[in-house]
Amino acid sequence: MKENIKKILNKKDFTRDDLIALMKIENKDEMDLLFKKAYEVKSQYVGRKVYYRGLIEISNVCIKNCKYCGIRKENKKVQRFSMNKDEILEAVKWIYDHNYASIALQSGERQDKEFVSFIEELVKEIKLLSKGEIGITLSLGEQSFETYKRWFDAGAHRYLLRIESTNQSLFKKLHPQDGYHKYEVRKRCLEYLRDTGYQVGTGVMIGFPGQTEEDLVDDIIFYKDMSIDMIGMGPYILHNDTPLGKEWKNLVVSEKKRVELGLKMIAITRIYLKDVNIAATTALQGLDPLGREKGLLAGANILMPTATLAEYKDKYLLYDNKPGIKDSVEKCQEEMDKKVLSVGDTIVYGAWGDSIHFKNKQN
Ligand code: 5AD
Ligand code: SF4
């Protein structure tokens, strides 16, 4: 078996079956070989460098009801908050002063006029405040083409919208069937984002009941077919006040297994897509204290330290036991710096760290 895995890892082009064989690796030595290869590909195509995105979770108000997510509209236990412009700008200034050069604004989904205008103005002000130096990533859900365009014209240039699962029957299982949570709409939004000119990011949840290794490989093939520039994905984590958190309590595979699957996803995505940006996400660390370091060693090159104001952090809980919610932003940064240096990567400050894949496509 080991010879077989070695042989696959030395190939230049991979078939779907090759990727499935890699995804099914269970043995520790083979897994190490996979991660080593992914780290080599990362070094060659994007360098042993890590870029930070200061993450600001600006609001937990959401019109959607994804069945896995802690801040879904129907979860009445959540205390809802929306940061005002000054609060957000304060967090942005902190990020700017610490020379991160990139921010990511994330919130639950809203599509009303006030929200769309608020974001448009906010993006313009952030650009002004930083004399154009801060790169802005938005992660604000499904919107119309016009909305995406307005935010792009205001100055945002990267957008994250996870597809969650490209297996459409799993997508249906993850979402209510009420006409507002549709796979085709999600996919069309990714196309709108591409057509608008954004660097486009997507990703999936990993290791939830019913999802197979074949499904995960198809997710990676989807990234390639859609020429995705940035990937953010992480293990599924139960949230007790959600329909699936209850239903899956005794069905979900072990945390260790979900972390392993998450790391294999990063590694195989790196090996197959090569020059994209891949984040080592908070959810990975949520299940393993060393999750982020392991993510970097498996091929990730982006970290998203949260710069959400302390008073709101504990209200943005997508899943149970989210790490770092009691820490100050300073503490988060120190911890994160240590992690990066411990694996031997360099932190790049003062640069946007755009997707090399996106740049290569422009040439
Ligand atoms: N476990 C893991 N990831 C989750 N997300 C939401 N809820 C969970 C959960 N319970 C992820 C989704 C979403 C992103 C904002 O957070 O992938 O797109
Ligand atoms: Fe809202 Fe996003 Fe959570 Fe779905 S995953 S309920 S859109 S915050």
Side-chain angles (χ1 to χ4, degrees):
M1 178 67 178
K2 195 155 176 189
E3 281 315 306
N4 185 25
I5 293 294
K6 270 194 186 153
K7 218 162 86 196
I8 294 176
L9 287 173
N10 282 329
K11 284 187 167 186
K12 281 213 160 49
D13 296 309
F14 304 92
T15 63
R16 181 170 181 270
D17 284 342
D18 291 335
L19 301 180
I20 292 170
L22 296 177
M23 196 66 80
K24 288 191 169 166
I25 291 177
E26 301 258 350
N27 161 304
K28 168 114 188 22
D29 292 344
E30 291 180 349
M31 211 145 5
D32 286 345
L33 279 181
L34 171 68
F35 297 153
K36 200 164 152 260
K37 176 70 185 184
Y39 195 80
E40 270 169 38
V41 175
K42 159 176 157 176
S43 312
Q44 187 184 344
Y45 285 86
V46 295
R48 296 176 65 184
K49 296 179 210 153
V50 171
Y51 295 90
Y52 283 166
R53 315 275 181 243
L55 176 65
I56 313 175
E57 292 147 337
I58 60 177
S59 168
N60 64 359
V61 176
C62 187
I63 58 168
K64 293 277 173 79
N65 256 316
C66 306
K67 286 159 72 184
Y68 48 84
C69 175
I71 63 170
R72 64 200 300 273
K73 184 177 175 203
E74 271 173 30
N75 185 2
K76 303 286 184 239
K77 290 193 188 163
V78 178
Q79 224 187 316
R80 303 286 164 174
F81 75 89
S82 295
M83 290 169 73
N84 65 35
K85 200 182 273 175
D86 288 342
E87 290 172 320
I88 299 170
L89 292 177
E90 188 190 323
V92 170
K93 194 164 176 318
W94 186 92
I95 292 165
Y96 184 50
D97 290 345
H98 287 74
N99 208 12
Y100 280 14
S102 276
I103 60 162
L105 300 178
Q106 192 172 70
S107 80
E109 195 170 298
R110 275 180 61 186
Q111 300 171 341
D112 54 283
K113 271 195 202 140
E114 292 73 32
F115 181 72
V116 173
S117 306
F118 176 77
I119 297 296
E120 184 179 32
E121 288 311 308
L122 180 67
V123 168
K124 284 185 188 160
E125 285 200 32
I126 293 171
K127 280 284 161 186
L128 264 180
L129 173 150
S130 67
K131 303 178 208 72
E133 284 175 21
I134 283 195
I136 303 175
T137 304
L138 299 179
S139 178
L140 308 171
E142 294 174 0
Q143 304 290 343
S144 66
F145 182 85
E146 289 70 31
T147 298
Y148 286 143
K149 175 100 173 63
R150 274 172 67 182
W151 292 345
F152 184 80
D153 290 342
H157 80 292
R158 296 182 289 233
Y159 203 103
L160 299 172
L161 180 68
R162 290 190 182 178
I163 193 83
E164 311 298 358
S165 174
T166 60
N167 174 326
Q168 295 192 41
S169 64
L170 293 179
F171 187 95
K172 283 205 177 107
K173 173 81 195 170
L174 293 172
H175 299 96
Q177 296 311 296
D178 56 2
Y180 295 109
H181 299 75
K182 294 178 97 150
Y183 181 83
E184 306 80 60
V185 174
R186 185 67 58 94
K187 185 163 176 238
R188 196 177 325 128
C189 282
L190 289 172
E191 288 157 3
Y192 286 164
L193 288 164
R194 160 83 57 240
D195 292 344
T196 314
Y198 286 96
Q199 291 175 42
V200 182
T202 194
V204 296
M205 281 194 308
I206 302 163
F208 55 87
Q211 189 187 42
T212 62
E213 278 91 352
E214 286 79 359
D215 290 323
L216 290 169
V217 163
D218 289 337
D219 293 338
I220 296 178
I221 293 173
F222 172 88
Y223 302 156
K224 180 135 179 166
D225 290 346
M226 296 283 289
S227 194
I228 292 298
D229 306 298
M230 320 180 290
I231 318 284
M233 54 192 174
Y236 167 69
I237 307 179
L238 295 164
H239 188 298
N240 202 27
D241 301 318
T242 61
L244 293 175
K246 292 193 172 78
E247 185 182 329
W248 283 345
K249 202 165 203 143
N250 300 313
L251 294 176
V252 75
V253 293
S254 73
E255 297 192 346
K256 182 168 176 279
K257 188 108 188 111
R258 272 175 280 154
V259 170
E260 265 176 26
L261 272 176
L263 294 171
K264 284 192 277 184
M265 274 297 273
I266 291 179
I268 299 169
T269 302
R270 172 61 71 202
I271 290 170
Y272 193 52
L273 272 68
K274 300 191 167 58
D275 56 1
V276 293
N277 277 346
I278 306 177
T281 55
T282 321
L284 201 53
Q285 199 197 340
L287 293 188
D288 181 339
L290 294 176
R292 279 186 161 139
E293 291 90 321
K294 290 181 184 170
L296 296 179
L297 287 170
N301 67 327
I302 302 287
L303 291 175
M304 301 176 78
T306 158
T308 305
L309 300 185
E311 57 183 304
Y312 298 129
K313 267 189 173 181
D314 62 346
K315 301 194 175 57
Y316 203 90
L317 300 181
L318 304 177
Y319 40 78
D320 291 336
N321 303 321
K322 188 172 172 189
I325 53 169
K326 294 213 166 56
D327 298 345
S328 68
V329 275
E330 280 79 9
K331 170 119 191 302
C332 286
Q333 182 183 23
E334 272 172 40
E335 294 287 312
M336 193 87 56
D337 283 2
K338 270 194 242 156
K339 285 179 191 193
V340 179
L341 299 173
S342 75
V343 304
D345 284 354
T346 306
I347 307 165
V348 185
Y349 285 103
W352 285 5
D354 278 339
S355 164
I356 292 180
H357 180 73
F358 185 82
K359 286 191 189 151
N360 287 344
K361 275 189 297 189
Q362 312 301 98
N363 297 331

